[in-house]
Amino acid sequence: MIQYQDHLRDITEASLAEGFFDGWPNPPSYAVFMQILRNASSCILAKDEQTGKVVGFITALSDGVLTAYIPLLEVVPAYQKQGIGQELARRMIEKLRGIYMVDLLCDPDLQPFYEKLGMRKAQGMLIRNYEHQSGRTHPQ
């Protein structure tokens, strides 16, 4: 069974299941992963109650007034296709419902997933500095 929580009180690097950032050429370390979770304006975690391991998460960055951005939604491969990602996204969208604009960027093959949650396609621009993807070196 999966338990959802919106706090990090009992979470350590050892609590994080293996398999996050699957397919990333330069994934963050688990120490950087913890920093990402701590620095997010909001995060929701999915934990396997039997193992106590975090198997999915979603983060949001927000000014708390008008804008929010959802940068990351991850579920480890062994737990995918069980509705965990959908539940994490649903909970985050609900948490941000008082915010005027909630944005995220995703690849075209993921757009139908977010459309089912009430989001719509939009145009956007981005920069990707893959040499900083691990989070180990970031500009000040």
Side-chain angles (χ1 to χ4, degrees), residues 27-138:
S29 67
Y30 276 67
V32 171
F33 184 5
M34 285 299 299
Q35 193 175 1
I36 290 166
L37 295 175
R38 281 192 295 271
N39 289 353
S41 304
S42 193
C43 74
I44 301 172
L45 309 174
K47 282 176 58 178
D48 181 320
E49 286 184 334
Q50 285 189 324
T51 66
K53 296 282 188 178
V54 174
V55 298
F57 75 97
I58 188 170
T59 59
L61 305 173
S62 178
D63 60 21
V65 181
L66 290 179
T67 64
Y69 175 67
I70 299 174
L72 294 170
L73 168 60
E74 291 268 340
V75 177
V76 296
Y79 287 82
Q80 291 176 1
K81 307 289 187 211
Q82 298 178 33
I84 296 169
Q86 185 173 358
E87 183 62 16
L88 286 166
R90 187 197 67 72
R91 286 172 182 251
M92 184 60 78
I93 290 167
E94 175 63 22
K95 191 171 189 174
L96 299 171
R97 74 179 145 94
I99 300 290
Y100 163 64
M101 60 184 188
V102 178
D103 298 337
L104 67 82
L105 290 173
C106 67
D107 293 333
D109 62 316
L110 293 174
Q111 289 174 340
F113 172 84
Y114 291 105
E115 285 176 324
K116 290 177 188 171
L117 295 164
M119 300 187 98
R120 60 185 171 89
K121 294 177 189 175
Q123 299 296 317
M125 304 297 291
L126 60 90
I127 294 172
R128 292 289 187 263
N129 296 307
Y130 289 105
E131 67 273 16
H132 300 298
Q133 188 178 42
S134 69
R136 291 184 190 102
T137 57
H138 55 279

